[in-house]
Amino acid sequence: MDALSRPAVVIDNGTGYTKMGFAGNVEPCFITPTVVAVNDSFSSAAQPAPRGAPAKGNWLAQHSAGVMADLDFYIGEEALARSRASSTYSLSYPIRNGQVENWDTMERFWQQCIFNYLRCDPEDHYFLLTESPLTAPETREYTGEIMFETFNVPGLYIAVQPVLALAAGYTTTKCEMTGVVVDVGDGATHIVPVADGYVIGSSIRSIPLTGKDVTQFIQQLMKERGENIPPEESFDVARRVKEMYCYTSSDIVKEFNKHDREPSKYIKHYTGVKPKTGAKYTCDIGYERFLGPEIFFNPEIYNNDFTTPLQVVIFFFIQSSPIDTRRALYKACHTKAEYEEYGASICRSNPVFKGMY
Amino acid sequence: MILLRSPSRFLLQILQDRVLSGEKGMDIDCHTVEFDDVRYHIQFSMRNPKVMVLSVALPLPPPEAILYDGLPLGAIEAIKAAYGPVVQILDPPKDGFDLTMKINLTKLPPDEEQRNAILTQIASVREVVLGAPLKLLLKHLASKTVAPNVDKLVALVHRPNESFFLAPQADKVTIVYPMRFQDSIDIVLATSFLQEFVEARRTAALNNVPSCMWSPAPPLELKGVPADALNANAGFVTFVVYPRHVEGKKLDRTVWNLLTFHAYVSYHVKCSEGFMHTRMRRRVESLIQAHNVCLTCLTLQALDRAKSDAEKLKKLVHGGSFKRLSLKNEGN
């Protein structure tokens, strides 16, 4: 039996969430937050003991403390629950802005993903990992080192996320691997031209608006309206509101009118439990349902530093890309027929928010 | 965290989602593979959103392990006993799988606790099926008898093309694992891990656990086993299980732990490899830091030296003027 006869393991580590599963399935098996809870009490115990202590005992204590610190950690939802329940665990986010920052916790995260979540033997499967388009080659080297030396994987491919996004739309009727991918992640947003499956590295743009900014904007809106949310939870609530209720709109004015005419239909409620006291609270969710995603198209409502709307960025972006790919990139955007069929809204569709009409 | 749990997380998650989701259902058709090459195929159809068809493929058995219709001894009975009316076994199983079950979620008990217990049980179908013969033998051990029509030495499959051996007796069962690893580093780590493991058994706190031995050569119990089954590259581990280890509730845990012993060792080997790499990385980082500090020191020293040289030079220049002075003096 060799690894070819088994499905490959796919792990997509994002800044916010990690998606993992097996090749051939429609959905990932698990989607968990990319977070590791590390026990701090051991590392503080591992500090040098007072001077009088015998050297050997000290070494032994440090050693066993180190071993325990290695073993005592949790990932994903479990990590969040642990850190909320007790103060001995501190959260570490191994990936920042699409780049791996902390290799120690990243390795532990992978270890748990493979052994405890997917429960597979890494020697038996090929692995597909992903990276953001602006990753340095050293990072890839490091990843390969961990995968091959620690986990002994038989084979590894590190794919670029935007190419995979195009591959996801690859069907029998539409075989195109050319397009502009706007990859809005939790920590990084890139606009990437892909021509025939290859990333044109020189013309990648990144814009300083990410999923986290949407969350922050929603948080700010809800705070300004004076919703009854405990401050320590507000970011979390905003994130959940974003994931559950937000959508992109074709016209904000129409959307405002719709909400004002029938508030009962459009205004949603969110119910949560205060973590410390256990008391329940509810809050209304109103305009932020469509205003959140709107920051991509009208960035001036969120901050004053970056005010170019996404569609303008994309336009200039294609203008600046190599001339022989421009035509294909424009074509990949939207055709006239599609435009007539679906209306102007198609240009604003964003798969994160239910904008695919 | 350190021990592997017996229910498959993915199966359990799918089952719980389905039970909580109410009437609306989606088509689900997915495969997963677990360690030791146990495969699952999960299907839900739109028409019957409350009926799950679960197919399980077991690891390929080696020639010495005896299977009945592709399943270990007593597996069918064990499934019936564990799940009751919820599960119906489909015969013949789906192509490429060893067992296909139809799980009717409407027949679950209404009480939440009981329901969760059954769901967890379904998610640990691997333990139920593969552990069936082991459980049977250990049950007989608990009542201090030897199961009838059982050979002196039983081979049970636990990994593709690999098996472990049981020598059942009335008062004890001896279990021998030939340990095999692929990678040369893994072999070394596993060997030292197993030696430590045996050593750890000797501490006072673990007096009552099954006795455990490790040897590089096959132990005497394995006489008469074909040589193919005995080419282990990380030695042989022997456990001796007494009736007190399989009393009452301990039975299930003992079965699971014995069944996944190899996975347990390989999980630990991989993890310790990972931790060693972490340590090495930290060490390299601290050395680089020390190196950089030294480098800065050296540069500073060099700068200092350069500075003092410059001062000497200045002095020399000064000396020149002294000479000039002396010339002047001479002139006087």
Side-chain angles (χ1 to χ4, degrees):
Chain A
M1 291 292 269
D2 64 335
L4 266 181
S5 64
R6 303 187 188 92
V9 172
V10 183
I11 303 180
D12 175 19
N13 293 111
T15 312
Y17 286 90
T18 289
K19 287 71 78 180
M20 54 189 149
F22 290 98
N25 288 346
V26 180
E27 284 185 344
C29 294
F30 298 99
I31 302 177
T32 63
T34 313
V35 58
V36 181
V38 198
N39 193 337
D40 277 341
S41 58
F42 290 111
S43 49
S44 59
Q47 293 294 316
R51 226 174 288 157
K56 198 188 166 204
N58 186 14
W59 174 83
L60 209 63
Q62 266 194 37
H63 174 74
S64 54
V67 169
M68 289 319 285
D70 274 350
L71 294 174
D72 197 4
F73 67 94
Y74 294 89
I75 70 161
E77 297 287 353
E78 245 173 320
L80 295 177
R82 289 274 161 174
S83 79
R84 221 172 282 146
S86 76
S87 57
T88 49
Y89 292 95
S90 70
L91 293 181
S92 152
Y93 295 86
I95 300 184
R96 293 236 162 175
N97 296 337
Q99 308 293 330
V100 179
E101 290 251 306
N102 190 337
W103 287 98
D104 282 0
T105 42
M106 194 68 226
E107 190 173 5
R108 291 189 206 183
F109 188 82
W110 275 327
Q111 180 203 312
Q112 285 303 305
C113 284
I114 294 171
F115 288 108
N116 245 332
Y117 280 75
L118 296 172
R119 305 210 330 161
C120 62
D121 196 341
E123 285 174 12
D124 290 350
H125 298 267
Y126 289 119
F127 274 68
L128 173 66
L129 299 181
T130 64
E131 62 174 10
S132 86
L134 290 176
T135 310
E138 286 85 0
T139 314
R140 210 170 307 147
E141 219 170 85
Y142 235 107
T143 312
E145 204 175 293
I146 290 181
M147 279 295 153
F148 283 114
E149 293 195 13
T150 308
F151 297 117
N152 288 42
V153 298
L156 171 71
Y157 186 75
I158 304 177
V160 191
Q161 282 150 5
V163 178
L164 291 184
L166 276 185
Y170 191 96
T171 53
T172 42
T173 52
K174 192 179 156 221
C175 311
E176 275 188 275
M177 284 299 276
T178 304
V180 181
V181 178
V182 182
D183 184 2
V184 185
D186 194 42
T189 296
H190 298 291
I191 306 174
V192 187
V194 181
D196 292 330
Y198 291 97
V199 174
I200 305 171
S202 57
S203 28
I204 294 172
R205 290 287 166 79
S206 69
I207 58 172
L209 289 174
T210 62
K212 204 171 267 168
D213 290 306
V214 178
T215 314
Q216 268 164 6
F217 184 56
I218 292 172
Q219 183 186 15
Q220 185 192 332
L221 284 176
M222 292 178 89
K223 203 187 284 168
E224 276 167 8
R225 212 176 42 233
E227 290 294 345
N228 173 28
I229 304 170
E232 69 271 19
E233 284 280 276
S234 69
F235 188 78
D236 212 37
V237 170
R239 184 178 57 78
R240 248 172 260 167
V241 166
K242 176 184 82 172
E243 285 164 8
M244 285 153 67
Y245 299 112
C246 277
Y247 61 95
T248 51
S249 57
S250 52
D251 189 348
I252 334 179
V253 182
K254 267 190 208 160
E255 219 62 31
F256 268 116
N257 285 336
K258 250 165 50 181
H259 273 250
D260 289 340
R261 225 177 301 127
E262 288 179 277
S264 58
K265 186 177 165 194
Y266 289 103
I267 292 181
K268 302 282 181 190
H269 299 283
Y270 179 84
T271 314
V273 179
K274 287 185 188 175
K276 289 275 149 52
T277 55
K280 277 195 175 171
Y281 63 89
T282 49
C283 55
D284 293 341
I285 305 158
Y287 301 139
E288 52 267 22
R289 288 187 64 196
F290 60 90
L291 279 181
E294 197 60 34
I295 67 168
F296 290 110
F297 306 109
N298 294 305
E300 64 275 5
I301 60 175
Y302 173 60
N303 66 6
N304 293 324
D305 306 330
F306 180 83
T307 52
T308 327
L310 189 62
Q311 57 270 33
V312 178
V313 178
I314 293 177
F315 174 72
F316 283 115
F317 165 79
I318 297 182
Q319 286 296 322
S320 71
S321 59
I323 195 154
D324 53 334
T325 56
R326 270 184 224 171
R327 195 184 153 80
L329 292 181
Y330 271 125
K331 229 168 111 187
C333 273
H334 293 293
T335 57
K336 187 90 199 304
E338 275 180 310
Y339 181 83
E340 273 160 9
E341 194 177 338
Y342 300 108
S345 62
I346 190 166
C347 300
R348 330 188 61 184
S349 63
N350 178 337
V352 177
F353 307 106
K354 296 142 215 142
M356 289 298 225
Y357 301 113
Chain B
M1 192 91 326
I2 297 170
L3 293 170
L4 296 163
R5 310 241 158 259
S6 89
S8 150
R9 221 176 242 266
F10 180 51
L11 260 177
L12 191 60
Q13 180 188 308
I14 283 194
L15 283 167
Q16 275 170 344
D17 280 359
R18 188 47 66 128
V19 168
L20 294 179
S21 73
E23 281 310 306
K24 57 171 189 246
M26 287 185 306
D27 267 342
I28 294 183
D29 187 340
C30 55
H31 295 262
T32 86
V33 182
E34 265 189 10
F35 56 91
D36 299 343
D37 220 22
V38 174
R39 293 150 190 252
Y40 301 98
H41 182 201
I42 302 152
Q43 277 176 307
F44 275 106
S45 72
M46 278 288 251
R47 262 181 295 136
N48 284 344
K50 287 287 179 188
V51 172
M52 172 162 117
V53 178
L54 173 67
S55 312
V56 184
L58 304 178
L60 205 68
E64 69 269 14
I66 301 162
L67 296 187
Y68 301 87
D69 291 333
L71 292 177
L73 174 72
I76 304 272
E77 290 77 26
I79 293 169
K80 281 180 184 151
Y83 306 134
V86 181
V87 164
Q88 188 192 345
I89 299 172
L90 298 183
D91 198 44
K94 250 197 203 103
D95 225 20
F97 291 92
D98 296 313
L99 170 73
T100 301
M101 308 190 298
K102 207 164 149 187
I103 297 160
N104 197 339
L105 296 180
T106 49
K107 286 189 184 161
L108 287 173
D111 179 49
E112 202 177 322
E113 217 166 278
Q114 278 177 12
R115 193 177 63 204
N116 277 340
I118 284 263
L119 290 182
T120 317
Q121 186 79 284
I122 294 175
S124 31
V125 58
R126 168 198 186 121
E127 182 190 346
V128 173
V129 174
L130 277 176
L134 190 60
K135 202 167 176 176
L136 203 74
L137 287 172
L138 293 181
K139 249 187 199 157
H140 277 283
L141 174 68
S143 58
K144 299 194 179 164
T145 52
V146 179
N149 61 45
V150 157
D151 298 339
K152 245 179 85 191
L153 195 65
V154 185
L156 295 178
V157 56
H158 69 145
R159 281 166 62 70
N161 270 325
E162 285 178 35
S163 52
F164 65 101
F165 299 91
L166 273 89
Q169 281 164 350
D171 56 344
K172 63 175 186 180
V173 173
T174 315
I175 301 151
V176 186
Y177 295 89
M179 304 300 287
R180 298 179 183 91
F181 289 91
Q182 283 172 9
D183 192 69
S184 57
I185 298 172
D186 283 5
I187 296 171
V188 175
L189 282 178
T191 314
S192 71
F193 174 84
L194 289 173
Q195 281 162 350
E196 285 284 322
F197 189 76
V198 172
E199 207 55 43
R201 159 72 181 81
R202 302 220 175 106
T203 50
L206 299 177
N207 249 337
N208 290 329
V209 302
S211 71
C212 162
M213 281 153 292
W214 178 84
S215 67
L220 289 177
E221 282 86 0
L222 294 190
K223 242 186 221 166
V225 173
D228 274 1
L230 291 181
N231 54 351
N233 54 20
F236 293 81
V237 180
T238 313
F239 288 107
V240 182
V241 176
Y242 289 102
R244 64 167 186 276
H245 301 125
V246 290
E247 288 163 348
K249 278 187 182 169
K250 281 190 211 159
L251 179 67
D252 280 337
R253 273 189 56 197
T254 311
V255 166
W256 173 249
N257 287 344
L258 287 175
L259 201 63
T260 55
F261 180 69
H262 191 282
Y264 170 80
V265 174
S266 96
Y267 172 38
H268 275 252
V269 166
K270 282 278 168 305
C271 289
S272 32
E273 230 173 298
F275 292 135
M276 269 176 224
H277 284 159
T278 312
R279 289 288 160 78
M280 288 197 278
R281 213 173 301 132
R282 250 182 240 161
R283 187 88 190 136
V284 167
E285 259 157 35
S286 72
L287 285 177
I288 288 178
Q289 211 174 4
H291 175 249
N292 282 344
V293 167
C294 282
L295 217 62
T296 343
C297 279
L298 283 178
T299 328
L300 281 179
Q301 272 178 11
L303 271 178
D304 273 358
R305 210 172 304 134
K307 219 175 177 183
S308 61
D309 279 354
E311 262 163 27
K312 263 185 206 160
L313 213 68
K314 234 186 207 168
K315 262 184 196 160
L316 271 181
V317 172
H318 203 73
S321 69
F322 182 67
K323 258 185 190 168
R324 212 166 51 212
L325 269 180
S326 67
L327 269 178
K328 249 184 197 172
N329 286 349
E330 269 175 22
N332 281 338

